[in-house]
Structure formats: structure tokens, C-alpha cells
Amino acid sequence: MKKPEAFESSPFKYEADDSPGFLLWRVIALWQRKLAGIFGEFGITQTQFAILASLRWFELQQEPPTQVRLVEHAKIDKMTLSKAIRKLEANGYVLREPSVSDTRAIRIRFTDGGRQLIHQAILAVERADDEFFSCLTEQQLISFKTLGISLIAGNSP
């Protein structure tokens, strides 16, 4: 279909779906809406979930769980991460303490309640993942993940 004349000199794409950024925005909006309900049930935000899930990943990988590592892994800016960790600490899910190996670093660790919460939340998010992406074939899902990884790698500082 030919572009209408009004769009010839316009900075806008003819079809909204011609814009990869707008498509990404729409997918993110749908995904965040799905997750908001889940996180509301657990009394945490999406940022707090990302921090707790990253912290659990560090435990499984036996990597040091410092605030700096959490910033790098979760791609959350330092100030936002620091505020979220203070809130998680106030809610009794994590503890902050000086690192034994690096006195400049702050180590983050789970409380028993925090570990239990993230275990349940991860299971709920994995179910949501399965539901949300079930409209894709296995090959499409592989392509989606590959493209996502490429976009992250190509746009990370």
C-alpha cells in the first residue's frame, strides 16, 4: 500500500507497527500490566523483584551480592537501586552489611522471609512468562530472545 501524501514529508511512520521502538513500547506495556498484578499480590514493585531475582541468581552462582554488582546485573541506576534496597530492608526481605572482602562495598543478603518471597514470586513470573509468550512458536521465541540479547548488548554502556 502506498503511503498517503500527508505522510511523505512527515517524520511519522505510515503504520505505527513500522516503528520498532513503538512496537517495543507496546510489548513492554502489555508485559508490565501482566506483572503489575503479580507483584501487587506479593507487595513488591517490578524493580524490587528484579533486585531480589538478581540477588537469588548471585546466590546460585556463588557470586558476591554487592550493590554495585546488582546495578550491573539488573541494569538499574544506583539511586533507584539504593532506594529499593532500603525499602526491601525496611520490609524485612534483605539485610545490608559491609563486605568482608571489600570494605568499600555493601553486601546484600536475604532474610528467610525474603528468600521465601522471591522463590514464590519467581514461580509466579515464570508462569506469566509461559502464558505471555505462548502465542509464539518455539522458533519465534528463540529469535525473540536472540534479538533481545543483541539489543541489550548493542545499547549497553
Side-chain angles (χ1 to χ4, degrees), residues 60-120:
L60 294 172
Q61 301 298 314
Q62 298 180 340
E63 291 190 23
T66 64
Q67 282 191 209
V68 170
R69 293 279 296 126
L70 284 166
V71 164
E72 294 166 359
H73 187 261
K75 305 290 188 232
I76 299 170
D77 71 60
K78 286 189 278 190
M79 183 62 73
T80 301
L81 183 114
S82 182
K83 286 179 182 179
I85 287 175
R86 281 197 300 277
K87 180 73 172 166
L88 289 167
E89 186 177 36
N91 289 339
Y93 298 132
V94 299
L95 297 171
R96 293 182 298 164
E97 52 195 26
S99 171
V100 176
S101 59
D102 182 354
T103 56
R104 297 168 297 165
I106 302 295
R107 184 176 179 266
I108 311 300
R109 68 179 178 86
F110 281 113
T111 62
D112 290 340
R115 188 173 286 105
Q116 183 179 8
L117 174 101
I118 195 57
H119 176 75
Q120 293 170 350

Side-chain angles (χ1 to χ4, degrees), residues 13-44:
K13 307 282 185 184
Y14 173 54
E15 296 287 336
D17 288 350
D18 289 342
S19 168
F22 187 60
L23 277 173
L24 179 62
W25 173 262
R26 290 174 58 198
V27 169
I28 289 168
L30 289 169
W31 177 239
Q32 287 181 329
R33 187 175 317 136
K34 186 167 195 74
L35 291 183
I38 292 169
F39 297 141
E41 292 173 22
F42 289 100
I44 59 174

